[in-house]
Amino acid sequence: MPNLVEPDTQFREHFVDFRVAKTVNTIPYDASLPQKPAKDTPLGNHSSKKVTIVGMGQVGLGCVCAILNQDICGTLALIDISAKKLEGEAKDFQQGSAFHQHTTILASDTYDVSENSDMVVITAGVAQQPGESRLSLVDRNANILKKIMPEVLKYSPNATILIVSNPCDIMTAIAAKLAGPDFPQGKVFGAGTCLDTSRFQTLIAQSMDLDPKNVHGYIIGEHGDSSIPVWSSVRVGALPLLEPGEEPNDTLKKIHKSVVNSAYDIISLKGYTNWAIGMSTAYICKAVLNDTRTIIPVSTCVRGLYDVEGDVFLSLPCSLSSHGVQRVAVLPLTDSEKATFQKCAKSIWEVQKPIWENLLPKSEPKEAGGTMLPSLQELLFIVPAAWAYLCLVGSPSKVTHFYTPIVSGNSLAEAWEIVGSPALLNSPFEAAQQCVQTDLIPVGASERQSVLVLFGPPFVAYEEELGSDAGQPQLLHDAIATDFSFLAKVDSICRQGVEKTAGASWLLLAETCAVLNRSVSLGAVQVPVMAWWEAKMEQTATPSIM
Ligand SMILES: NC(=O)C1=CN([C@@H]2O[C@H](COP(=O)(O)OP(=O)(O)OC[C@H]3O[C@@H](n4cnc5c(N)ncnc54)[C@H](O)[C@@H]3O)[C@@H](O)[C@H]2O)C=CC1
Ligand SMILES: CC(=O)C(=O)O
């Protein structure tokens, strides 16, 4: 028997023009990559839905609380690197099971519990300290995201992925790119200005003594300091707040300022924000898991809209389906709103660009001497030195000089004094910068994405193998440029070094370097070193150097 309550579609054709004129389908996030469009799939049973939340800090907890209390899914998998705290939180949530619809709670510090999730929410990462901007978190959280995304995709290749970690728009762009061109467009999106819009609606409603749900309007653009209130389309009930062409007055401007300051204000009071973002995340999850096509401002690729050219992710009102962003509503902006949107896109792109351009290998790895090798662009240069080499992975245009190697006579102990203070272990790039500033390991790059510093005896082997020219950077530079088998040689020496010295004399300081995530020769070497280093760090705060 046919379903008697199918949606009535007889009037849809009357709205085709509206849809075409005012909305666009999701936009591929990288002009250079082909994109796979999302396909509609039948809806599953609601209680069969599974959501994974990665990151069980304050925001993760806020999300779980809201999701459980709104009966959004049948299974909730919680993941965090801190297993002990996670166990405590998961037990605490489980013990409230009598007060909501049944939800199976799983928790682990590995991703197998997330298998076959319908939706994955990523909240893991560093949060702002009082007074700190979201954008300042970019490098640290990008590195965390680079570790998380492959695991998420491995266990839930069909999940819709929601990014909450800050800076939310850039993290969403990075996650979308890491998901790869085969991942359907729109299936990775960010919580964006959903929260800012709620703050906006609430403040206007409080000022007018109304229900926030009667304030229809959006904050668009960045989830952060350069967010944009679209005053020209705010309606209260059905009434426009402003007349066409009317500019917002000082009170309205103050309302927006207050929206922008909300997070700073709350963080200065309690150290973090979590309940409202938890509620907005649950609201978004509900729309996706129920395939409601609700229009919510979330972060999606905006290239091509309002003359934005870069692969920037910003918030616009989007209809959400089970595949994430289904269509983007293109609001009619005033000239000044459009100019502000473009300025916002430009400033986000400036921060995103260095990470974005080095996120995926630009070319296929080359085969040489039976080893998969990084391209020259990937491995910008290796500075050989008596005791150390510094490998910078960054934007080629930023590397302008190639200096002489470390002055002979410097010892590991001396190097350690400069880069190895425990305080700097959390910020290896700063450590490397100190080396640069002190000319201990002179290199010519001042800006980069990731820095990998290796100290240790393998370098001795490296020198031996390469002969007396090893200390001549110019020669090495030429060798790298002309002879790919040189890299294979470095690789095999490093391998020996790792095996010979594992657990003893390597010191690795790394902001998870792009190289680490690649199946290229240097990556293969560095992963075991990294694992050793992490194990070592658990045992002692200050590793000894042999
Ligand atoms: N988009 C938005 O509207 C909002 C975003 N945020 C952002 O959410 C993020 C989390 O904030 P909080 O929960 O307050 O921070 P938090 O410090 O309380 O929690 C972060 C959690 O991430 C975990 N973590 C770190 N690395 C991990 C990894 N590789 N895998 C799994 N878990 C990992 C930590 O163990 C910790 O439990 C921050 O970036 C923050 O700025 C916060 C509020 C609103
Ligand atoms: C921290 C943050 O991004 C917020 O509460 O808006």
Side-chain angles (χ1 to χ4, degrees):
M1 190 167 152
N3 181 2
L4 297 175
V5 283
E6 285 288 353
D8 186 344
T9 55
Q10 62 175 314
F11 303 115
R12 275 198 187 165
E13 67 188 68
H14 297 280
F15 293 97
V16 166
D17 285 349
F18 171 81
R19 282 180 42 179
V20 171
K22 305 290 183 198
T23 68
V24 291
N25 287 333
T26 57
I27 302 164
Y29 59 80
D30 186 335
S32 65
L33 295 173
Q35 284 291 298
K36 196 170 160 185
K39 277 195 234 125
D40 273 350
T41 48
L43 278 179
N45 176 344
H46 182 207
S47 64
S48 71
K49 299 285 177 188
K50 177 170 178 179
V51 175
T52 288
I53 300 183
V54 183
M56 212 29 58
Q58 298 300 342
V59 172
L61 296 176
C63 296
V64 176
C65 191
I67 287 173
L68 282 178
N69 283 308
Q70 293 183 39
D71 186 25
I72 286 175
C73 58
T75 307
L76 197 49
L78 316 180
I79 294 178
D80 199 285
I81 44 169
S82 172
K84 199 171 158 208
K85 179 168 179 292
L86 179 65
E87 187 182 346
E89 299 293 6
K91 282 181 174 163
D92 208 354
F93 279 124
Q94 254 171 357
Q95 289 166 18
S97 294
F99 309 116
H100 49 75
Q101 294 292 320
H102 181 70
T103 300
T104 304
I105 297 175
L106 309 171
S108 175
D109 57 353
T110 57
Y111 284 75
D112 37 1
V113 289
S114 70
E115 192 163 20
N116 287 331
S117 292
D118 298 286
M119 191 156 183
V120 175
V121 180
I122 300 181
T123 76
V126 184
Q128 296 155 264
Q129 295 301 310
E132 191 180 12
S133 83
R134 294 170 180 86
L135 289 176
S136 73
L137 309 172
V138 70
D139 284 332
R140 285 169 284 167
N141 284 348
N143 285 335
I144 290 173
L145 199 55
K146 283 185 210 166
K147 288 185 188 159
I148 292 172
M149 281 300 289
E151 297 289 332
V152 166
L153 295 164
K154 179 175 160 195
Y155 286 98
S156 302
N158 299 317
T160 297
I161 300 174
L162 172 65
I163 307 297
V164 177
S165 313
N166 274 323
C168 187
D169 305 291
I170 299 179
M171 290 304 121
T172 308
I174 291 172
K177 193 154 186 173
L178 289 171
D182 287 339
F183 200 75
Q185 61 196 55
K187 236 170 141 52
V188 178
F189 66 99
T193 57
C194 178
L195 171 58
D196 314 55
T197 297
S198 168
R199 288 170 173 155
F200 182 63
Q201 291 170 299
T202 305
L203 282 169
I204 294 175
Q206 283 173 349
S207 316
M208 300 175 86
D209 197 16
L210 288 170
D211 182 342
K213 287 196 280 302
N214 289 135
V215 177
H216 310 286
Y218 298 106
I219 297 277
I220 61 170
E222 183 198 1
H223 167 61
D225 300 347
S226 67
S227 72
I228 303 149
V230 190
W231 291 115
S232 59
S233 61
V234 176
R235 301 272 185 284
V236 178
L239 301 172
L241 190 68
L242 299 180
E243 296 298 324
E246 187 185 347
E247 288 296 320
N249 61 24
D250 285 349
T251 308
L252 298 184
K253 285 181 185 161
K254 274 188 201 153
I255 285 179
H256 177 238
K257 207 166 169 199
S258 181
V259 169
V260 171
N261 284 336
S262 298
Y264 293 106
D265 175 33
I266 296 170
I267 290 170
S268 76
L269 293 166
K270 63 177 238 186
Y272 53 86
T273 63
N274 68 333
W275 300 122
I277 181 60
M279 288 182 239
S280 41
T281 299
Y283 181 61
I284 293 169
C285 289
K286 213 169 179 173
V288 170
L289 295 171
N290 292 342
D291 198 25
T292 58
R293 323 275 160 141
T294 308
I295 295 179
I296 301 177
V298 291
S299 192
T300 191
C301 184
V302 297
R303 181 172 33 72
L305 297 179
Y306 307 115
D307 301 328
V308 171
E309 286 173 4
D311 289 314
V312 183
F313 279 57
L314 290 175
S315 284
L316 284 173
C318 296
S319 66
L320 296 184
S321 73
S322 56
H323 301 288
V325 171
Q326 181 211 21
R327 288 204 303 275
V328 184
V330 187
L331 295 173
L333 299 184
T334 63
D335 288 347
S336 85
E337 286 164 347
K338 186 173 157 184
T340 318
F341 190 83
Q342 289 163 344
K343 199 170 152 207
C344 169
K346 209 164 161 234
S347 65
I348 290 293
W349 178 243
E350 286 307 308
V351 182
Q352 178 184 318
K353 193 173 164 218
I355 300 178
W356 182 258
E357 289 182 345
N358 291 291
L359 210 52
L360 298 176
K362 290 197 172 57
S363 54
E364 287 300 308
K366 293 195 173 69
E367 192 82 34
T371 313
M372 298 295 277
L373 295 172
S375 70
L376 265 186
Q377 282 75 20
E378 290 163 2
L379 183 71
L380 280 184
F381 61 86
I382 297 173
V383 180
W387 285 105
Y389 67 81
L390 184 75
C391 166
L392 282 186
V393 179
S395 153
S397 60
K398 294 278 162 47
V399 178
T400 50
H401 298 95
F402 196 80
Y403 288 87
T404 50
I406 186 171
V407 247
S408 58
N410 285 325
S411 65
L412 270 184
E414 197 177 328
W416 173 247
E417 251 179 42
I418 295 192
V419 299
S421 76
L424 288 178
L425 287 178
N426 290 330
S427 181
F429 178 61
E430 273 172 46
Q433 262 185 332
Q434 281 209 8
C435 289
V436 175
Q437 281 155 13
T438 57
D439 275 342
L440 181 68
I441 307 171
V443 292
S446 58
E447 281 183 54
R448 57 21 341 164
Q449 273 230 289
S450 311
V451 180
L452 183 70
V453 190
L454 302 174
F455 294 93
F459 200 80
V460 178
Y462 171 91
E463 273 197 272
E464 279 165 15
E465 177 109 4
L466 295 172
S468 58
D469 282 337
Q472 302 296 320
Q474 199 51 54
L475 289 176
L476 282 179
H477 189 234
D478 290 347
I480 294 169
T482 54
D483 178 9
F484 273 98
S485 68
F486 169 86
L487 293 177
K489 213 183 271 184
V490 172
D491 179 34
S492 85
I493 295 163
C494 289
R495 257 178 228 278
Q496 289 169 20
V498 172
E499 280 156 21
K500 265 195 243 156
T501 61
S505 59
W506 275 74
L507 164 60
L508 172 75
L509 298 175
E511 257 186 82
T512 316
C513 165
V515 172
L516 285 176
N517 291 329
R518 293 179 193 160
S519 55
V520 293
S521 58
L522 284 175
V525 169
Q526 288 153 5
V527 170
V529 179
M530 189 70 189
W532 171 81
W533 172 250
E534 279 172 352
K536 182 98 182 143
M537 284 298 293
E538 281 187 3
Q539 293 161 10
T540 166
T542 314
S544 59
I545 296 165
M546 309 210 7

